[in-house]
């Protein structure tokens, strides 16, 4: 079985978000980049499947040269080889078009439920549609029996059990697998695993990110004594007007 | 040009977030057709008109009682063509988001997600999207003639603007292949207030000490008419079900009121609640980072404060 795992290279979850160049560009100064937390679940499940049933795992990232340490980390966790599509991931359609270009021939394409930068949660659906294969997200359980994939998907207030045939695309989230931490041997071997850099396919972009902004600053907190809880009720009613 | 709005239902009722999508489309100014899939009571369908739909299409095919993404996308595309609609508006959700993305690819439309205010059309067609889990916003130009716009909860204020609409049946052509993905079971809390859509959320963290103490939170939630949520460790340890986990890697909520009890306020948790209108924090540690993100705070032991708060709310009713 051939598994493709698509990983995004995103600011660490504790990063302070800022923009530069007249608010047209993300400020990467001092920001630590990681494999998207959901993509990390997808990768972990792919490695588990490789161990339990035999598979090759390829990771793919659409990104410029600075994403290579993130890709090497995925190789250290246990992927066999990697593809980097050498381009700035400008929008979901662009990224999905690049992934679809390389995803043919894979039995299973695993992604995260959403990237934590643009949070659109649509790249997997787009890739599924482009390839004409099913796409499900957010998948919290995924098992393969022959060419049948049994999954559990989270829906508002509960979950849904699903069955579909391979090939398919899944956007993953916990508890599909436990995050894996690379060990020393993994880190050593990652250095020599193939990381193929390919140029992007040209696509007409349907959207254009023009400008960014930060939310307005929050006002100061009003503290209420624990002996005067009814004051909180009054404030919620009359001041905040949320009751 | 006409706008088509995809409306979802839960427990036989049109979802509030979908009514917001209708109100949003109405405020955009063009003629609005709403479409609902599956078996839904006609009174519910007619009432969509009150929020701004000029007409309502119903696809009462029992196979669509389950949200089969591929079949839904096929129906919506056919309806857009039949109605001559160039724009599809929907509420972002576990069904709306993938369905919208599929339609966008099928039709060559520009897709926007998590849109928080009405588009601006002077100088290109620009929408404002929430990004970085609510930590920032982007102005995005939608360049194609066809558009699919997914809106975030509270993008627009819900108010009645019209009267009941006429409902007509829409016949869609569906093939076996559209139902290739089988939903074998649905395990969903019914009757409960759904966390992603709740107006008030009462959420507990590790400070609650154990699942046996959740009765106290549930009592408070019941008094407020709230849904219950929790921090990630709480669902990881299994004190609460996974779908209650709020934060960057869980449910993003946007209620009027979020009450955080025994939650420290880690940045990943805050990312899931920063769209709340008002935040109340109850924590025994005056230095808990959550207080910085709060509107109102009480420093105290949850085991004393929460029952007192529930009593005070009951007394004020
Ligand atoms: C990649 C990544 C993603 C993550 N995503 C999420 C996410 O989506 N959501 C999330 O919640 N976390 C997430 N986390 C975890 C996050 O960093 C914190 O560890 C977590 O939010 C802490 O949960 P907590 O506040 O319940 O527990 P703690 O940090 O242990 O805080 C417990 C709080 O309870 C207070 N307390 C204790 N006893 C009482 C009492 N009797 N009365 C009142 N207060 C009391 C304490 O003062 C303390 O502030 C993520 C972490 C990572 C690395
Ligand atoms: N630049 C990228 N390269 C590879 N995969 C990506 C990239 N961006 C997003 N993805 C994948 O698509 C998923 C959904 O992303 P999104 O639709 O942006 O929320 C992510 O969890 C990743 O698995």
């Amino acid at each position: 079985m051939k598994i493709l795992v698509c990983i995004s290279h995103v600011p660490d979850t504790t990063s302070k978000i800022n923009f530069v160049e007249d608010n047209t560009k993300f400020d990467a100064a001092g920001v630590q980049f990681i494999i998207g937390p959901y993509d990390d679940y997808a990768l972990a499940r792919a490695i588990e499947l490789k161990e339990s049933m035999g598979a090759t795992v390829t990771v793919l990232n659409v990104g410029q040269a600075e994403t290579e340490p993130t890709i090497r980390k995925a190789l250290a966790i246990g992927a066999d080889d990697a593809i980097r599509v050498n381009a700035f991931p400008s929008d979901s359609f662009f990224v999905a078009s690049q992934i679809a270009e390389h995803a043919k021939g894979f039995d299973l394409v695993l992604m995260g439920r959403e990237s934590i930068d643009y949070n659109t949660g649509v790249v997997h659906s787009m890739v599924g549609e482009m390839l004409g294969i099913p796409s499900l997200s957010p998948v919290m359980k995924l098992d393969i029996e022959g060419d049948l994939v049994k999954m559990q998907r989270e829906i508002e207030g509960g979950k849904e059990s699903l069955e579909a045939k391979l090939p398919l695309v899944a956007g993953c989230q916990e508890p599909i697998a436990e995050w894996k931490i690379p060990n020393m041997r993994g880190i050593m071997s990652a250095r020599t695993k193939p990381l193929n850099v390919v140029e992007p396919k040209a696509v007409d972009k349907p959207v254009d990110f023009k400008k960014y902004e930060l939310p307005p600053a929050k006002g100061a907190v009003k503290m209420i004594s624990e002996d005067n809880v009814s004051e909180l009720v009054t404030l919620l009613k009359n001041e905040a007007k949320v009751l | 040009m006409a706008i088509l709005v995809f409306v979802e239902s839960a427990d036989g009722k049109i979802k509030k977030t979908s009514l917001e999508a209708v109100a949003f489309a109405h405020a955009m100014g063009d003629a609005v057709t709403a479409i609902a899939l599956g078996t839904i009571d006609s009174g519910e369908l007619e009432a969509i008109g009150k929020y701004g739909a000029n007409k309502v299409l119903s696809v009462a095919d029992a196979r669509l009682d389950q949200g089969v993404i591929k079949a839904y996308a096929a129906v919506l595309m056919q309806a857009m063509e039949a109605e001559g609609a160039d724009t599809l508006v929907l509420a972002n959700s576990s069904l709306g988001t993938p369905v919208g993305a599929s339609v966008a690819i099928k039709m060559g439309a520009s897709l926007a997600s998590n849109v928080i205010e009405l588009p601006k059309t002077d100088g290109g067609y620009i929408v404002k999207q929430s990004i970085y889990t609510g930590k920032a916003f982007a102005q995005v130009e939608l360049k194609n003639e066809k558009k699919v716009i997914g809106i975030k909860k509270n993008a627009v204020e819900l108010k009645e603007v019209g009267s009941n609409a006429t409902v007509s049946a829409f016949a869609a052509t569906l093939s076996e292949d559209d139902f290739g993905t089988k939903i074998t079971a649905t395990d969903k809390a019914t009757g409960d207030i759904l966390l992603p859509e709740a107006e008030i959320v009462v959420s507990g963290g590790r400070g609650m000490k154990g699942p046996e103490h959740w009765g106290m939170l549930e009592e408070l939630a019941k008094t407020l008419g709230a849904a219950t949520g929790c921090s990630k460790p709480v669902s990881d340890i299994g004190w609460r079900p996974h779908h209650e986990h709020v934060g960057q890697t869980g449910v993003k909520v946007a209620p009027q009121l979020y009450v955080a009890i025994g939650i420290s306020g880690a940045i990943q948790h805050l990312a899931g609640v920063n769209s709340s209108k008002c935040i109340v924090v109850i924590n025994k540690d005056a230095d808990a980072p959550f207080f910085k993100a709060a509107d109102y705070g009480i420093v105290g032991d949850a085991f004393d404060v929460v029952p007192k708060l529930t009593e005070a709310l009951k007394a004020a009713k």
Side-chain angles (χ1 to χ4, degrees):
Chain A
M1 190 163 76
K2 288 181 69 184
I3 306 175
L4 181 69
V5 180
C6 302
I7 58 167
S8 55
H9 159 90
V10 292
D12 169 35
T13 52
T14 58
S15 308
K16 205 163 158 36
I17 306 300
N18 250 318
F19 300 96
V20 288
E21 294 178 22
D22 195 23
N23 287 321
T24 58
K25 210 173 151 236
F26 178 72
D27 182 3
V31 170
Q32 181 86 16
F33 283 84
I34 56 167
I35 300 176
Y38 293 110
D39 314 352
D40 233 353
Y41 286 116
L43 179 61
R45 186 64 190 135
I47 304 298
E48 286 180 1
L49 290 171
K50 173 180 161 174
E51 284 163 359
S52 66
M53 56 190 296
T56 58
V57 177
T58 301
V59 290
L60 183 153
N61 167 258
V62 181
Q64 289 162 315
E66 73 267 13
T67 71
E68 291 204 357
T70 304
I71 301 175
R72 289 279 174 212
K73 185 175 172 211
L75 292 170
I77 287 173
D80 299 293
D81 58 359
I83 303 168
R84 179 170 69 81
V85 180
N86 185 29
F88 177 71
S90 58
D91 63 89
S92 322
F93 180 79
F94 177 79
V95 170
S97 305
Q98 305 309 326
I99 294 174
E101 203 48 27
H102 296 278
K104 293 171 196 117
F106 284 93
D107 303 290
L108 184 61
V109 181
L110 297 182
M111 306 195 193
R113 84 177 263 178
E114 67 184 34
S115 60
I116 60 164
D117 44 8
Y118 287 167
N119 309 107
T120 52
V122 296
V123 167
H124 28 72
S125 303
M126 287 180 159
V127 171
E129 192 62 49
M130 287 168 180
L131 296 175
I133 62 177
S135 161
L136 281 317
S137 177
V139 173
M140 47 203 298
K141 201 164 178 287
L142 182 148
D143 292 297
I144 299 177
E145 293 170 17
D147 69 345
L148 200 64
V149 189
K150 295 193 169 174
M151 287 164 286
Q152 232 170 46
R153 186 172 89 96
E154 185 158 276
I155 54 175
E156 285 77 11
K159 56 191 178 220
E160 195 173 76
S161 303
L162 300 143
E163 283 179 11
K165 289 222 158 79
L166 287 174
L168 67 77
V169 186
C172 305
Q173 74 168 34
E174 76 277 27
I176 195 162
E178 297 258 351
W179 282 330
K180 293 201 180 338
I181 297 159
N183 58 28
M184 212 48 213
R185 231 184 76 214
I187 295 169
M188 296 303 287
S189 67
R191 292 189 189 154
T192 52
K193 285 180 181 172
L195 193 172
N196 302 309
V197 180
V198 296
E199 290 307 313
K201 163 190 170 192
V203 297
D204 286 333
K205 291 181 188 168
V207 300
D208 185 7
F209 280 73
K210 294 267 187 205
K211 236 182 154 107
Y212 301 95
E213 59 191 84
L214 295 173
K218 184 120 191 129
V221 54
K222 204 174 253 186
M223 298 305 291
I224 294 138
S225 155
E226 62 170 315
D227 301 318
N228 198 4
V229 172
S230 56
E231 190 194 337
L232 174 64
V233 177
T234 311
L235 287 168
L236 291 175
K237 263 203 171 125
N238 302 334
E239 190 178 75
K241 299 191 167 58
V242 290
L243 288 187
Chain B
M1 276 295 262
I3 303 174
L4 187 74
V5 181
F6 165 48
V7 294
E8 286 184 62
S9 63
D11 299 337
K13 287 221 170 330
I14 302 296
K15 286 190 178 183
K16 179 163 178 255
T17 46
S18 289
L19 294 176
E20 287 179 353
V22 172
F24 187 95
H26 173 76
M28 284 165 65
D30 290 323
V32 176
T33 302
I35 183 165
L37 285 65
T39 326
I40 304 165
D41 177 66
S42 63
E44 273 291 307
L45 293 171
E46 285 164 9
I48 299 170
K50 291 183 187 157
Y51 300 94
N54 303 79
K55 62 176 176 180
V56 176
L57 302 178
S58 163
V59 192
D61 182 332
R63 291 176 300 174
L64 299 171
D65 288 348
Q66 287 181 318
V68 184
I69 295 164
K70 191 167 184 199
Y72 270 53
V75 172
L76 293 187
M77 199 177 78
Q78 291 170 30
M80 280 185 81
E81 277 165 0
E83 292 295 304
D86 62 353
T87 303
L88 173 66
V89 174
L90 49 83
N92 280 124
S93 72
S94 66
L95 185 59
T97 305
V99 166
S102 295
V103 172
I105 298 299
K106 279 180 198 287
M107 302 198 74
S110 293
L111 172 69
S113 296
N114 300 319
V115 170
I116 57 157
E117 56 186 47
L118 288 170
K120 293 197 173 67
T121 48
D122 42 341
Y125 194 104
I126 311 277
V127 294
K128 187 168 170 179
Q129 285 184 209
S130 165
I131 56 169
Y132 291 102
T133 329
K135 289 188 226 165
F137 305 106
Q139 305 274 357
V140 186
E141 183 180 10
L142 307 185
K143 298 200 292 193
N144 293 2
E145 193 191 318
K146 295 204 164 68
K147 297 168 182 71
V148 175
I149 300 179
I151 64 165
K152 198 174 153 118
K153 183 168 176 281
N154 292 341
V156 68
E157 196 189 335
L158 198 56
K159 54 175 190 277
E160 294 194 12
V161 293
S163 50
N164 278 356
T166 20
V167 179
S168 42
F170 180 76
T173 319
L174 291 167
S175 70
E176 197 56 36
D177 185 47
D178 291 321
F179 296 91
T181 302
K182 298 257 173 315
I183 298 174
T184 52
T186 310
D187 173 8
K188 197 167 152 181
T190 50
D192 283 1
I193 301 159
L194 296 179
L195 179 61
E197 286 149 31
E199 294 302 338
I200 304 182
V201 175
V202 171
S203 207
R206 213 147 42 178
M208 291 303 297
K209 310 270 190 293
E212 66 276 19
H213 300 129
W214 241 263
M216 194 167 87
L217 292 200
E218 276 162 355
E219 182 69 23
L220 174 60
K222 212 173 102 195
T223 311
L224 283 165
T228 52
C230 65
S231 66
K232 180 167 159 42
V234 164
S235 71
D236 284 349
I237 330 164
W239 292 358
R240 299 298 296 171
H242 185 265
H243 63 258
E244 288 195 4
H245 151 204
V246 171
Q248 175 131 35
T249 51
V251 180
K252 282 91 187 163
V253 296
Q256 293 289 309
L257 174 62
Y258 187 80
V259 185
I261 303 164
I263 304 178
S264 57
I267 192 159
Q268 297 96 348
H269 186 84
L270 297 183
V273 306
N274 53 19
S275 302
S276 309
K277 184 169 173 228
C278 177
I279 296 178
V280 171
V281 169
I282 300 169
N283 197 303
K284 70 172 184 191
D285 174 8
D287 294 324
F290 218 144
F291 285 117
K292 289 203 181 70
D295 297 285
Y296 302 104
I298 297 182
V299 177
D301 188 329
F303 293 80
D304 298 332
V305 176
V306 173
K308 276 202 257 175
L309 179 57
T310 307
E311 284 317 306
L313 281 161
K314 280 183 180 160
K317 266 194 176 166

